[in-house]
Amino acid sequence: MTIASQPAVFLDRDGVINEPVHDPQDGRPEAPLRAQDVALAPGAVEGLAELARTGLPLIVVSNQPAAAKGKVAESDLAAVHARVVELLAAEGVAIEDWRYCFDHPDALDEARRDCACRKPRPGMLEAAASDHGLDLTASWIIGDTDADVGAGRAVGAATILVEHPKTAHRRSPDLVADVVVGDLAAAAAWVVGAAAR
Ligand SMILES: [Mg+2]
Ligand SMILES: [Zn+2]
């Protein structure tokens, strides 16, 4: 049996689908750590709806190290995930697959310090490709940081950088994406245009 190989659209979560939230511990906008802090980002619903019309699988790939670093419980991260899903469902948006890396080099548990899935490593994309029969070199990744661009580069995917104004501290001028846009709606328009060519 052969599995048809198709492109997918990989999406980062924080700063693309939902708004970053001010983290009192490091003073910067990072992942929301409480369900009540989740708010969808401007252009996210519009962009996801447009991407869904392409028929390509939409797969979220997100680094979530806060529990590994001891900042919150794993159940808090699960609650944030559930809230994002809930807010999207209320807008009629469904994501095919959610993939999270819960590891970090500073993890309290040594077993979580080194992994193949923390972006910019490509483990989440590769695992999704294996599970869904995806052609990674024909896929896109949409994210707001160098880690997203790096993960996409590592598998030969096209990279779209969303320059969320609150997460500029996670972007360097050295790593240039294939496309640079302001929000997910603009990213989706680019994917749709490229898919039509
Ligand atoms: Mg992000
Ligand atoms: Zn990981």
Side-chain angles (χ1 to χ4, degrees):
M1 190 182 106
T2 54
I3 296 172
S5 195
Q6 67 171 335
V9 180
F10 292 96
L11 298 130
D12 176 45
R13 196 192 74 184
D14 306 313
V16 175
I17 293 175
N18 57 271
E19 284 288 284
V21 172
H22 179 77
D23 182 334
Q25 285 186 28
D26 70 7
R28 287 175 154 170
E30 302 292 353
L33 299 179
R34 304 180 304 174
Q36 64 263 39
D37 292 339
V38 175
L40 297 180
V45 168
E46 181 188 345
L48 288 168
E50 182 149 3
L51 288 171
R53 282 193 286 275
T54 65
L56 298 173
L58 309 182
I59 300 172
V60 171
V61 286
S62 174
N63 291 346
Q64 296 295 333
K69 291 193 275 190
K71 292 167 74 175
V72 295
E74 287 179 25
S75 59
D76 295 317
L77 298 184
V80 169
H81 163 73
R83 182 63 177 151
V84 179
V85 172
E86 179 182 46
L87 290 175
L88 291 177
E91 301 287 346
V93 172
I95 299 294
E96 173 115 5
D97 197 0
W98 298 82
R99 305 238 162 194
Y100 289 108
C101 166
F102 296 110
D103 312 304
H104 192 276
D106 298 333
L108 303 180
D109 176 358
E110 197 170 336
R112 284 216 173 277
R113 285 183 199 156
D114 189 28
C115 70
C117 48
R118 181 175 164 79
K119 294 175 294 182
R121 290 180 176 173
M124 289 189 283
L125 287 74
E126 289 170 341
S130 171
D131 289 350
H132 296 280
L134 304 174
D135 179 356
L136 290 175
T137 62
S139 295
W140 290 266
I141 184 166
I142 302 171
D144 66 326
T145 73
D146 287 0
D148 302 308
V149 174
R153 284 274 172 77
V155 298
T159 56
I160 306 180
L161 185 67
V162 173
E163 289 191 314
H164 194 294
K166 289 183 181 169
T167 56
H169 61 288
R170 291 186 170 277
R171 298 186 290 268
S172 73
D174 304 333
L175 205 59
V176 179
D178 297 312
V179 179
V180 180
V181 295
D183 66 11
L184 184 48
W190 191 89
V191 171
V192 168
R197 280 197 287 275

